[in-house]
Amino acid sequence: MIFQYPQVDKTTQALKDLIKINSDRIGGYQTALVQSGSLDATTRDVFETIVADAMQYRQQLSQKVKQLDSDVRTNPNILGKIYLAWNDLKVTFASDTRKAIIANCLYNEEIALHAYRAALNNDSGITGEALQLLSEHEAGLKKNYELLKCYREVRPIINSSMMYLV
């Protein structure tokens, strides 16, 4: 016999997983902001905006979980903390170049997008109101991902006064 979770339990579990992912995103960007001296002001502003978005997503998801099941805990469990510690370790030992930091952020955004797409999948069992919320979050994640891809490129600046023709 296969145990089937009620629809609300599937939705609650998926939302709790997305809460963890957004907590990890927040921690990763905050660590990059604190530990990296190689980020320019514009990149720092983008990271701070992404942190603010992730905090809003986490809050909205937590509220939705509480609506569905007022007895549920939404704090990250030990697995989320282990992942966050691993992410901190990667940032610490990774090179402190802007390119490496952006690459790490892009990777984490791809993971978040994948998780949201899985939750939005027809077979996930997520209810209608939560589905709308996740669609809005996914649109924001896509926008941030595309923005980060623009920052990935290292654009050399050529100073014409430094060029010499031989």
Side-chain angles (χ1 to χ4, degrees), residues 127-150:
T127 58
E129 197 175 299
L131 205 57
Q132 177 62 33
L133 179 65
L134 297 185
S135 293
E136 292 169 10
H137 289 189
E138 182 193 30
L141 286 168
K142 284 179 183 177
K143 180 187 73 143
N144 288 335
Y145 180 74
E146 293 302 319
L147 182 60
L148 283 173
K149 281 178 27 180
C150 293

Side-chain angles (χ1 to χ4, degrees), residues 16 65-74:
K16 286 170 58 179
V65 168
K66 288 175 185 172
Q67 284 177 346
L68 295 171
D69 185 0
S70 61
D71 192 37
V72 74
R73 287 181 15 171
T74 57

